Amino acid sequence: MTDTATPKSGNIGDAVVRKEDAKLVTGQTTWTDNIAFPGMLYMSVLRSPMAHARINSVDVSSALEQPGVLGAFSGADLADEWAGPMPCAWPITDEMVHPDHWPIAVDEVRYVGDAVAVVVARDRFAAADALEHIMVDYEPLDAVVDMEAALEDGAALVHADKGTNTTYVFNLSNGDVDGAFDGAHTVVKRRFINQRLIPTAIEPRAVVVAPIAAAGEFTMYTATQIPHILRLMLALTTGVSESKLRVVAPDVGGAFGSKLNVYAEELMALVLAKRLGRPIKWTETRSEGYQTTIHGRDQIQEVEAAVDEDGRLRGLRVKLLADMGAYLQLLTPSIPILGALMYPAIYKMDAYSFECTGVFTNKTPTDAYRGAGRPEATYATERIMDEVAVELGMDPMEFRRRNWITHEEFPFETIAGLTYDSGHYEAATDKAMQLFDYEGLRAEQQRRRESGDRHQLGIGISTYTEACGVGPSRVLGSLGNAAGGWESATIRMLPSGKVEVVTGVSPHGQGHETTFSQIVADTLGVPFEDVEILHGDTKVAPQGLDTYGSRSLAVGGVAVYKAAHRMLDKLKTAAAHMLEVSVDDVEFADGKFRVRGSPDTAKGIGDVVLGVFAAHDLPDGYEPSLSAEFTFDPENLSFPHGTHLCAVEVDTETGMPRIREYVAVDDVGNVVNPQIVDGQVHGGLAQGIAQALYEEAVYDDAGNLTTGSLVDYYVPGAPDLPHYVTDRTVTPATSNPLGVKGVGEAGTIGSTPAVVNAVLDAVRHLGVTHIEMPCSPERVWRALQQGAATRDEIAPEGAEGGQHP
């Protein structure tokens, strides 16, 4: 456990205006697609129109004859460029089936959008037009797009040489699971579909590779979350020395996990720049991105809960099918496993078991999408909590209260093996219920039911927690991750007294420059404006493990904080020498080193910095350096939590759901900048609500993505979203000195089950017991019709609940 600093007045804790926004809102940004070099060429990729087919031949000769075309290559043409297949960094089991994944298909295509050939031309239009002149002889093969069908005997195999569509089977169990269920008063089982989603960042993916051919050096500019990890993976995949590679993440316009990957187009651009000795650029179209950028979620969840008659939770069983898509991308197999430890959520129980089967299908690969396994877990748990409450005839909040960990019980080791360091679920819930007027809305709901109002009111609850701040290297290693979870920071004092901060994490909209500047300004006692944050360039910031999993502040920010304190320690020695006192007699506050007991005898930090720079009069052996580094590896994950309450009105004639009230009270530990936290929560809520009500990636039986554009894939806009009431409680994390947790994914994780629980609560008395996500008006209307027809039948399709042994 770490001593936690109480936030000081001043920068930390203030809603300081984001310093990075001026250039973002005035068009002075550097998106990857804005970058241009003399002699730059443009790359375009021919993609498979078939979900599964054998490639008999690829003829690029006609494309080479087109105006402006300088090169056209099939997968076979570039096969010798690869030192290894595309990486998957997180094998889940020793037996995991891991087929080779090449940037351009050679013998077989396995999803619509799989790369087949690539053209390089003087402009992007010539490159795109030339694709039409490439002749590909496909031999169609049977495709499988349904996970359960893929596991049946005789199913078409995505990778025939592997003899199976099963990637892995992962098991986790603790406690006497059979005993918990055999002795239970009530067992409730439900089946949930956590639908496939498509990340939609404002900025599409793009990459530019600029070679210095004579030196064998390459600089890659790419819209990525992970410049450091990408550089290593580029080296391993192409054989180019890591020391000859520089990766720059310029301004990145959103990612949500979709840019936490190594993509085929980045590899193609690098090898083509190497082969042609010219800068290469590629920018995806939106439709192209929907086919080839990773997708998220896509799980079938079977969940069983066992309870005593008084509502005490005895045990939980979870059985998942997780769709990997056609290949394993960087983290694909790990995503459902990241949720494995979170199904018990904030609840105490005697036993827990988890089984996940990873399944190959002929679809776009899945991977990390905002929350990455934890939204799926929270959805299933918070849905089953409501279902059990219904079976017991108990208020769903009261059922949760009877089972959650109380604040006196922290630190608490969960049945899944995690140690929650801090939390106060009662406080967050009390505040949320007060803001929401829970009792008042329940009374209104009852009045509407009794009057047969056309618009019925539903109330949804989600009392979530999550694990973030990735992460302790030892924990990641124990779970099979090839990488660690540390983060690096360097503080450089400039002779003028200004400060440069080099961090290994890089933002894609979060506000790192503001937040980290607040931390450094308070620690060093310098003006906020005097701090510059450098990031996103492996030449400028050579050490780092990048941005994902709500780790930037809880890991990267703590590294910055500790590096700043290391700098203070270093300057303190010089200050003592200048003040002609012992180091032990010097104290630092408000930007000045003072002699203890003689506060007027002082040196400003700028004077000390200038003295060290000049090095005319320093202690013997003192190194005249103005740089301090720190690499922080956390001892534990962090565990934000919160209570989200949602009131939904459902038009029982049209099925249209409308969110009327939404209250989110989150506890993310100490807050550095409340405005940035609010922004993160608002954005997260939008994406969680989007899954509940709007978004779904749909494939037809042949493996065609039928929601392949923004016309068909319903990303909600501001008019589709409600006004949010957000607030916070604060229980500082004890695993880091700032007491911070993480907020990037909290809103998404907490909101989806709150909304779906509310929709169901509105119409459950009309015989509706289940609605799949997204809860579109059509689905709600159909559920109402089915409910009317089977009003007296309680059990939904796929439900086996309400059993009383």
Side-chain angles (χ1 to χ4, degrees), residues 554-791:
V555 187
V558 174
V560 168
Y561 174 80
K562 284 183 168 287
H565 275 274
R566 186 165 281 178
M567 172 60 73
L568 276 183
D569 291 343
K570 193 170 186 176
L571 293 176
K572 191 176 181 182
T573 301
H577 181 76
M578 295 174 189
L579 293 166
E580 299 181 342
V581 297
S582 164
V583 171
D584 295 337
D585 292 331
V586 175
E587 57 188 8
F588 179 80
D590 301 327
K592 290 188 175 180
F593 294 95
R594 293 183 172 87
V595 176
R596 204 180 304 274
S598 181
D600 292 337
T601 306
K603 282 281 185 183
I605 190 170
D607 295 331
V608 177
V609 166
L610 193 58
V612 173
F613 172 72
H616 296 163
D617 182 19
L618 294 174
D620 290 342
Y622 189 94
E623 183 182 358
S625 163
L626 290 168
S627 178
E629 299 181 6
F630 198 96
T631 299
F632 177 65
D633 197 342
E635 63 188 47
N636 195 2
L637 296 160
S638 69
F639 302 96
H641 69 84
T643 296
H644 289 207
L645 301 175
C646 179
V648 169
E649 288 182 341
V650 173
D651 185 331
T652 56
E653 293 188 8
T654 66
M656 174 67 79
R658 182 182 73 86
I659 296 177
R660 201 182 88 179
E661 308 282 346
Y662 197 102
V663 171
V665 175
D666 296 287
D667 191 327
V668 297
N670 287 335
V671 170
V672 175
N673 188 313
Q675 187 178 59
I676 286 177
V677 167
D678 287 345
Q680 289 274 13
V681 171
H682 279 223
L685 291 175
Q687 284 187 299
I689 292 170
Q691 178 170 15
L693 297 181
Y694 301 112
E695 296 185 17
E696 182 175 26
V698 178
Y699 282 82
D700 65 17
D701 291 342
N704 297 298
L705 179 64
T706 62
T707 53
S709 75
L710 283 169
V711 174
D712 306 300
Y713 187 83
Y714 191 175
V715 178
D720 302 306
L721 298 167
H723 172 75
Y724 311 125
V725 176
T726 61
D727 208 328
R728 285 183 293 278
T729 55
V730 177
T731 52
T734 63
S735 56
N736 67 75
L738 288 173
V740 297
K741 296 182 178 178
V743 69
E745 296 152 310
T748 301
I749 291 169
S751 56
T752 305
V755 176
V756 175
N757 281 339
V759 173
L760 267 169
D761 187 57
V763 296
R764 195 183 289 273
H765 67 293
L766 300 176
V768 177
T769 55
H770 185 65
I771 305 171
E772 296 290 5
M773 295 189 293
C775 299
S776 64
E778 179 187 356
R779 281 186 172 156
V780 176
W781 183 85
R782 290 186 183 280
L784 284 164
Q785 306 315 302
Q786 185 178 358
T790 59
R791 188 68 54 87

Side-chain angles (χ1 to χ4, degrees), residues 198-420:
I198 304 177
T200 307
I202 290 177
E203 182 203 19
R205 286 192 297 119
V207 57
V208 177
V209 178
I212 303 176
E217 296 176 358
F218 302 88
T219 299
M220 174 179 288
Y221 303 85
T222 181
T224 184
Q225 297 172 234
I226 53 167
H228 299 90
I229 294 173
L230 178 58
R231 182 175 64 161
L232 172 61
M233 295 303 174
L234 290 171
L236 296 175
T237 308
T238 66
V240 177
S241 170
E242 192 178 358
S243 63
K244 299 291 186 182
L245 287 169
R246 174 187 178 193
V247 177
V248 181
D251 293 316
V252 177
F256 317 115
S258 68
K259 295 169 182 172
L260 163 54
N261 229 299
V262 178
Y263 282 105
E265 295 81 7
E266 292 167 324
L267 298 165
M268 290 183 220
L270 176 58
V271 300
L272 291 174
K274 177 184 171 189
R275 180 176 281 212
L276 301 175
R278 301 271 293 273
I280 301 288
K281 175 187 278 190
W282 171 83
T283 302
E284 70 179 5
T285 65
R286 183 65 69 182
S287 296
E288 189 178 25
Y290 270 21
Q291 286 185 345
T292 61
T293 299
I294 61 93
H295 292 176
R297 315 289 194 255
D298 207 347
Q299 297 179 3
I300 299 174
Q301 304 170 305
E302 292 186 356
V303 186
E304 285 182 276
V307 292
D308 285 333
E309 187 174 9
D310 63 356
R312 188 183 74 85
L313 193 58
R314 295 169 59 94
L316 190 67
R317 282 189 184 127
V318 177
K319 191 172 183 179
L320 299 185
L321 296 182
D323 197 332
M324 306 283 103
Y327 300 103
L328 303 181
Q329 287 274 161
L330 188 65
L331 302 172
T332 301
S334 71
I335 302 307
I337 309 309
L338 290 172
L341 303 178
M342 296 311 301
Y343 279 88
I346 67 171
Y347 307 113
K348 296 175 284 189
M349 61 190 75
D350 302 329
Y352 167 59
S353 71
F354 173 91
E355 178 184 297
C356 177
T357 301
V359 184
F360 285 120
T361 62
N362 291 108
K363 293 187 285 188
T364 299
T366 57
D367 208 293
Y369 177 53
R370 201 167 189 172
R374 291 153 290 160
E376 297 93 313
T378 300
Y379 176 75
T381 300
E382 291 302 294
R383 284 284 296 108
I384 200 71
M385 293 299 286
D386 259 31
E387 295 297 314
V388 175
V390 169
E391 293 293 338
L392 295 175
M394 188 179 293
D395 180 273
M397 186 61 85
E398 176 57 26
F399 177 55
R400 286 169 169 83
R401 283 187 188 277
R402 291 190 186 189
N403 288 286
W404 68 37
I405 303 158
T406 63
H407 71 279
E408 297 95 343
E409 296 176 281
F410 288 95
F412 185 90
E413 184 171 348
T414 74
I415 193 69
L418 293 174
T419 300
Y420 295 172

Side-chain angles (χ1 to χ4, degrees), residues 484-571:
W486 49 265
E487 195 47 75
S488 173
T490 300
I491 302 286
R492 291 200 295 258
M493 298 293 301
L494 305 182
S496 61
K498 309 294 185 185
V499 186
E500 287 181 340
V501 178
V502 180
T503 173
V505 296
S506 56
H508 34 281
Q510 295 92 336
H512 293 37
E513 294 178 23
T514 300
T515 305
F516 290 4
S517 293
Q518 290 179 260
I519 293 170
V520 172
D522 266 15
T523 305
L524 298 181
V526 298
F528 170 81
E529 296 76 13
D530 285 355
V531 184
E532 293 292 331
I533 309 297
L534 308 177
H535 57 77
D537 183 337
T538 59
K539 190 171 184 178
V540 173
Q543 299 294 326
L545 286 174
D546 307 316
T547 297
Y548 44 86
S550 300
R551 69 188 302 271
S552 291
L553 181 58
V555 187
V558 174
V560 168
Y561 174 80
K562 284 183 168 287
H565 275 274
R566 186 165 281 178
M567 172 60 73
L568 276 183
D569 291 343
K570 193 170 186 176
L571 293 176

